[in-house]
Amino acid sequence: MNTSLSWIKAYVPELDVAAQEYADAMTLSGTKVEGYVELDADLDKIVIGQIDRIERHPDADKLVVCQVNIGTEVTQIVTGADNVFEGAKVPVVLDGGRVAGGHDGSKTPGGIKIKKGKLRGVVSNGMMCSIEELGSTKDMYPESPENGIYIFPEDAEIGASAVKVLGLDDVVFEYEVTSNRVDCFSVIGIAREAAATFGKKFVPPVVPETGNGEDVNEYVKVSVENTELCPRYCARVVKNIKIGPSPKWMQRRLASVGIRPINNLVDITNYVMEEYGQPMHAYDLDTIAGRQIVVKNARDGEKFTTLDGQERQMDTDVLMICDGEKAIGIAGIMGGENSMITDDVKTMLFEAACFDGVNIRKSSKRVGLRTDASGKFEKGLDPNNAKAAIDRACQLVEEMGAGEVVGGTVDVYGKKKEPVRVPFDAGKINAMLGTDISGEKMLEYLKQIDLEYDEEAKEVIAPTFRQDLFRLADIAEEVARFYGYDNIPTTLPTGEATTGKLTFKLRIEQAARDIAEFCGFSQGMCYSFESPKVFDKLRIPADSPLRRAVEIMNPLGEDYSIMRTISLNGMLTSLATNYNRRNKDVRLYELGNIYLPKSLPLTELPEERMQFTLGMYGKGDFFSMKGVVEEFFEKIGMKDRETYDPNAGKPFLHPGRQANIIYDGKIMGYLGEIHPEVADTYGIGERAYIAVIDMPEIMGYATFDRKYFGIAKYPAVSRDISMVVPKQILAGQIEEVIAAKGGKYLESYALFDLYEGSQIREGFKSVAYSTVFRAQDKTLEDAEVAAAMDRILKGLEGMGIELRR
């Protein structure tokens, strides 16, 4: 969004600031100024002069010698321009002055300095210049000649500043306006912000009632078939059209923001679009069949030729402006060639409407056409602004004598948009900001930007053009930006964060990172968007709940069309990438969410569950991965109670090398070797192992509470147990018996030998454990240790385990 400072001053008359001061203050108050251009930065000592006498140059056929009255004196200037004449009033650059560039429109940084000199032996005390040499173009100053010196009107004052008369003593500011501040995509909106920022009075245009005694409903009828995409449509009629140039003040304002003046009717629509932020369109009423407007969706495959002469194909999602027989415009984007305004227009229909911003953006993409109007509509305009804008346009039509405005407005407005009411609480606002501002001062700030206060209800009433105000935090932001962010004192935040510690959930996640990285894993991050083909790659059954995924409405492509319900695909893809790049030993981990819908189609947000996923290949095996899991469980206070169930039933894992991780009877996750077929599908050419822990499931069991004991004063007693065990019995089952039967003196136990071979009969394995007993208050007697060992041995024999004597 661009505005000129002079245009802003038209609505804030008391504003008197330098360009840099304006830019700094507006940025600090929330209307960020990206930069500015001083139009007269390279112009100096340029006045209006009148040519009193012209004589031929004595030594050059193409040069003339002019005596030019510059108000204080008559000076001699030599020129080669062929459009000068006696009595002409022209811009004159005096000796020592500067112009912006050359006659060909080229610009020189810092300008070109003009000095007194001689041309073919004749003294020239300055230079008469073209509009290009003043830094502008004929497009912005249509009255200037194609080639030659700029000629001022006869009433121009001799000796006055040519730069000021041409409107070049101005500054154009470029703003970065966020999409939620639609009101600031207009000069009036920026001016309102400037008035509040500098504490000056805001004087918006006064628009009186316009129109003759006729009724517009006798000229045109309007119906809106799709009120969701077009909540409001206003139409007015102007007859006895007189096309001509717009007044200089309007041309100068449009030119200052880069809009080329064309004629009075086009300039009015452009002017109102910039002033009010409301795009408008004009149709030749005589070309509208049945003199009726119908707003409806296009037909699939319908062809339509726009004003730029391009034929475009529509579909049913594109909203069209139609007459009784045909389409005459693409709503909010561009009018049609079949209803364009020509020099022969007699009666004109003005349109100011409000269209759905999302639909305009999508339609603009579909038809491959983006315009200034669509750029504003897609932000989501205020429907209450349409009537004000069309009345302003009709006011300008009457003031400029461009036509006769017919009385009344056709206004199709279904559900009226009402102002938003926000409860006002000065205490809460101060608590948010860390300030001590009085409620009266806050309301004073809010009043400056047209926010009213209902004292009885204690509510702030946000006008409909402020589409970003819904809650107290929004009101607090308004107070903060006009109080001054730089005036807000530094305070400590309140709450748990002040003590300098992470939340419990984040501490668990940090523990997961620490353990993984201590064990040689590097963190990765995978996409939450996946392809439905992932389920087939992982051999997941067709009836599995994992296939019930949330589909994305506007995906980047099929490969990113659903939200993941399992975290393995990203990990296996990363392992495969590393394998194919010949990295030998790779260990990766990820902390990321999966998304489980509670129902499909969605009626509420899906459940997001954080998964701690570990993956590796190279050095290490199933038991290495199991060790990492146990390290993590020990770190978060879940030691010695986890078990493993080999009947996990995961189709993507090796059937004989997988297990569910069980804790207190609940499944906390799973681990295992990747199924060879899955590994081959992903392109991993060796054994790979994964572990997945469901973080929300462990939250109820994890703890960072620790109880420490002193160093033992009494000796330990060790006993070894050697067993012949059926193969189907797991080490974990043996350890459960040892832990349960060992009694209070059992300090630790560890597996130190596992053997399967010819010396052990088929279907069995040899297992040996070392156990350690110790008392904290005495030296153990042999009988106490023997009693504990007897309990352990009897428990093991009850499982069908034979002791090796």
Side-chain angles (χ1 to χ4, degrees):
M1 176 67 195
N2 293 350
T3 71
S4 65
L5 186 58
S6 63
W7 202 343
I8 296 295
K9 287 181 178 180
Y11 312 124
V12 192
E14 300 172 0
L15 185 63
D16 185 17
V17 292
Q20 190 61 54
E21 180 186 356
Y22 176 90
D24 292 343
M26 290 292 283
T27 299
L28 284 174
S29 69
T31 309
K32 184 181 178 183
V33 176
E34 282 285 284
Y36 62 87
V37 176
E38 295 177 295
L39 300 182
D40 60 351
D42 298 331
L43 305 177
D44 188 29
K45 297 177 70 174
I46 305 176
V47 300
I48 298 176
Q50 178 174 290
I51 301 174
D52 290 344
R53 189 171 73 255
I54 299 177
E55 298 174 345
R56 285 186 171 278
H57 191 287
D59 198 26
D61 293 338
K62 294 185 178 181
L63 297 178
V64 294
V65 181
C66 303
Q67 303 302 318
V68 184
N69 179 2
I70 58 172
T72 56
E73 62 176 323
V74 175
T75 188
Q76 179 172 289
I77 297 176
V78 178
T79 181
D82 56 7
N83 69 320
V84 295
F85 55 90
E86 292 182 355
K89 293 182 177 180
V90 296
V92 177
V93 189
L94 304 178
D95 180 29
R98 282 180 301 134
V99 292
H103 185 73
D104 59 355
S106 61
K107 293 186 179 180
T108 303
I112 301 172
K113 193 167 185 177
I114 303 301
K115 296 182 179 180
K116 176 180 178 180
K118 291 184 178 181
L119 289 178
R120 301 292 292 270
V122 177
V123 173
S124 182
N125 296 315
M127 183 180 81
M128 294 179 282
C129 49
S130 65
I131 199 66
E132 288 80 8
E133 288 164 328
L134 294 174
S136 191
T137 65
K138 187 180 185 305
D139 285 341
M140 299 304 173
Y141 290 81
E143 72 279 8
S144 61
E146 191 67 39
N147 292 294
I149 304 302
Y150 183 85
I151 307 296
F152 285 101
E154 292 182 3
D155 58 355
E157 180 185 351
I158 298 173
S161 168
V163 172
K164 186 173 183 179
V165 172
L166 287 168
L168 293 171
D169 59 334
D170 208 348
V171 186
V172 176
F173 295 93
E174 180 185 356
Y175 306 88
E176 180 186 322
V177 182
T178 54
S179 296
N180 64 329
R181 288 303 306 272
V182 181
D183 57 303
C184 286
F185 285 95
S186 67
V187 179
I188 286 179
I190 297 291
R192 185 186 292 109
E193 291 292 311
T197 299
F198 292 97
K200 304 298 182 182
K201 186 178 180 181
F202 173 56
V203 185
V206 178
V207 182
E209 186 176 345
T210 55
N212 57 23
E214 296 179 277
D215 184 1
V216 69
N217 292 288
E218 296 177 358
Y219 282 79
V220 66
K221 289 181 170 38
V222 176
S223 62
V224 178
E225 293 186 5
N226 193 332
T227 55
E228 288 187 7
L229 298 186
C230 178
R232 190 175 195 182
Y233 190 99
C234 298
R236 297 197 69 174
V237 172
V238 180
K239 65 180 186 177
N240 301 327
I241 297 294
K242 298 175 183 176
I243 292 181
S246 54
K248 288 290 187 290
W249 64 268
M250 180 175 284
Q251 292 187 26
R252 298 295 179 259
R253 286 184 183 176
L254 291 174
S256 70
V257 294
I259 297 177
R260 180 170 62 94
I262 298 174
N263 60 48
N264 48 8
L265 295 182
V266 176
D267 291 354
I268 285 172
T269 58
N270 286 334
Y271 184 85
V272 174
M273 181 172 72
E274 293 299 313
E275 184 180 44
Y276 278 75
Q278 170 66 52
M280 299 184 63
H281 191 69
Y283 299 98
D284 185 341
L285 188 60
D286 294 329
T287 65
I288 296 177
R291 295 209 165 190
Q292 62 175 330
I293 295 291
V294 182
V295 184
K296 61 182 181 180
N297 291 74
R299 301 185 307 276
D300 260 333
E302 179 180 351
K303 300 289 181 65
F304 180 72
T305 303
T306 47
L307 277 171
D308 56 3
Q310 297 293 315
E311 185 179 75
R312 304 178 189 275
Q313 184 166 317
M314 307 294 118
D315 61 33
T316 54
D317 291 324
V318 179
L319 193 66
M320 303 295 290
I321 310 298
C322 307
D323 60 16
E325 299 174 354
K326 61 188 180 300
I328 58 174
I330 307 175
I333 301 177
M334 184 178 280
E337 193 177 49
N338 55 7
S339 62
M340 66 186 295
I341 297 292
T342 65
D343 291 344
D344 300 325
V345 64
K346 298 292 187 293
T347 308
M348 179 183 68
L349 175 70
F350 259 141
E351 166 195 283
C354 184
F355 302 110
D356 179 73
V358 174
N359 178 262
I360 294 298
R361 179 175 60 82
K362 290 181 177 179
S363 297
S364 180
K365 281 189 174 183
R366 284 191 185 94
V367 302
L369 178 62
R370 196 171 191 274
T371 60
D372 289 341
S374 67
K376 291 186 182 293
F377 275 122
E378 65 188 26
K379 305 292 189 302
L381 300 186
D382 175 18
N384 293 331
N385 192 39
K387 178 69 164 56
I390 201 168
D391 288 345
R392 172 64 165 162
C394 289
Q395 176 197 13
L396 293 171
V397 167
E398 287 192 349
E399 287 181 358
M400 293 162 53
E404 182 183 352
V405 179
V406 174
T409 306
V410 178
D411 188 0
V412 180
Y413 194 5
K415 184 179 179 181
K416 185 177 180 182
K417 185 175 183 180
E418 298 294 343
V420 174
R421 288 176 167 264
V422 181
F424 177 75
D425 188 325
K428 287 185 178 179
I429 291 176
N430 278 322
M432 288 181 188
L433 301 179
T435 55
D436 186 19
I437 309 170
S438 67
E440 291 76 15
K441 190 65 177 176
M442 291 182 186
L443 293 174
E444 185 181 318
Y445 292 142
L446 300 178
K447 185 178 180 181
Q448 289 179 318
I449 50 174
D450 289 353
L451 270 65
E452 299 178 4
Y453 179 60
D454 185 338
E455 190 169 356
E456 185 176 342
K458 297 190 181 307
E459 292 177 329
V460 173
I461 304 172
T464 53
F465 63 76
R466 286 303 302 270
Q467 301 184 32
D468 59 319
L469 303 181
F470 299 102
R471 54 189 69 85
L472 189 64
D474 299 330
I475 303 300
E477 183 182 8
E478 299 303 296
V479 171
R481 65 193 187 95
F482 291 114
Y483 176 70
Y485 294 115
D486 52 334
N487 294 324
I488 297 176
T490 301
T491 57
L492 285 173
T494 58
E496 187 180 355
T498 304
T499 62
K501 68 178 182 179
L502 297 174
T503 63
F504 183 72
K505 175 179 178 291
L506 293 179
R507 291 177 70 191
I508 297 294
E509 292 176 10
Q510 187 58 52
R513 291 189 189 92
D514 290 344
I515 292 300
E517 290 168 11
F518 293 161
C519 293
F521 288 75
S522 299
Q523 185 171 13
M525 185 174 292
C526 304
Y527 290 117
S528 297
F529 301 160
E530 289 188 336
S531 168
K533 297 175 183 177
V534 165
F535 302 124
D536 294 330
K537 292 174 71 175
L538 294 175
R539 305 175 72 247
I540 292 174
D543 59 348
S544 171
L546 293 176
R547 288 183 177 263
R548 299 180 69 251
V550 178
E551 294 186 6
I552 299 167
M553 292 180 64
N554 187 23
L556 297 173
E558 186 185 4
D559 289 344
Y560 305 96
S561 61
I562 62 170
M563 303 296 290
R564 66 178 180 177
T565 58
I566 185 170
S567 61
L568 282 190
N569 176 65
M571 178 59 67
L572 295 180
T573 301
S574 298
L575 291 177
T577 300
N578 279 274
Y579 179 81
N580 291 320
R581 292 181 180 174
R582 301 185 180 181
N583 292 327
K584 293 183 179 179
D585 298 301
V586 174
R587 294 189 173 200
L588 300 174
Y589 78 94
E590 181 201 13
L591 281 165
N593 287 335
I594 58 173
Y595 304 84
L596 305 177
K598 298 172 185 176
S599 63
L600 288 176
L602 284 179
T603 56
E604 56 183 316
L605 291 175
E607 181 184 8
E608 299 183 27
R609 299 186 71 86
M610 176 69 73
Q611 306 291 290
F612 179 27
T613 307
L614 298 145
M616 71 179 190
Y617 69 79
K619 292 181 181 178
D621 55 16
F622 177 93
F623 298 102
S624 303
M625 184 65 82
K626 178 172 172 282
V628 177
V629 172
E630 291 174 351
E631 286 268 3
F632 172 57
F633 275 40
E634 181 178 355
K635 177 76 172 178
I636 59 175
M638 297 170 63
K639 182 181 179 183
D640 297 337
R641 290 173 61 188
E642 70 272 15
T643 59
Y644 300 88
D645 179 7
N647 300 311
K650 305 296 182 186
F652 42 81
L653 297 179
H654 191 294
R657 298 167 190 157
Q658 60 172 285
N660 277 333
I661 304 168
I662 311 294
Y663 190 88
D664 200 26
K666 293 187 178 180
I667 298 176
M668 299 291 159
Y670 55 87
L671 78 160
E673 180 185 328
I674 295 298
H675 195 290
E677 289 183 9
V678 175
D680 185 60
T681 299
Y682 278 90
I684 304 173
E686 59 180 283
R687 291 183 177 183
Y689 302 89
I690 60 96
V692 178
I693 298 173
D694 189 33
M695 298 295 275
E697 197 66 51
I698 68 173
M699 288 299 173
Y701 300 95
T703 176
F704 289 103
D705 295 337
R706 299 289 186 271
K707 186 176 181 180
Y708 293 93
F709 299 93
I711 297 174
K713 298 179 181 180
Y714 301 95
V717 179
S718 298
R719 294 285 187 272
D720 293 343
I721 309 172
S722 182
M723 301 163 277
V724 177
V725 181
K727 281 189 176 181
Q728 67 269 21
I729 294 179
L730 304 176
Q733 293 173 283
I734 296 173
E735 291 173 1
E736 284 181 9
V737 172
I738 295 174
K741 304 294 185 179
K744 64 179 181 178
Y745 298 131
L746 179 64
E747 184 178 79
S748 65
Y749 52 85
L751 174 70
F752 71 86
D753 184 55
L754 176 65
Y755 174 74
E756 293 181 45
S758 59
Q759 297 180 21
I760 305 297
R761 66 180 183 271
E762 188 175 350
F764 286 78
K765 58 188 174 184
S766 174
V767 177
Y769 272 88
S770 173
T771 59
V772 177
F773 297 88
R774 190 195 307 266
Q776 296 292 322
D777 55 351
K778 64 177 182 178
T779 299
L780 289 176
E781 297 180 1
D782 187 63
E784 292 173 308
V785 175
M789 287 298 296
D790 285 342
R791 291 194 300 270
I792 292 173
L793 295 175
K794 287 179 181 178
L796 294 173
E797 288 173 351
M799 298 172 63
I801 296 173
E802 300 176 9
L803 299 179
R804 299 183 70 181
R805 303 294 181 180

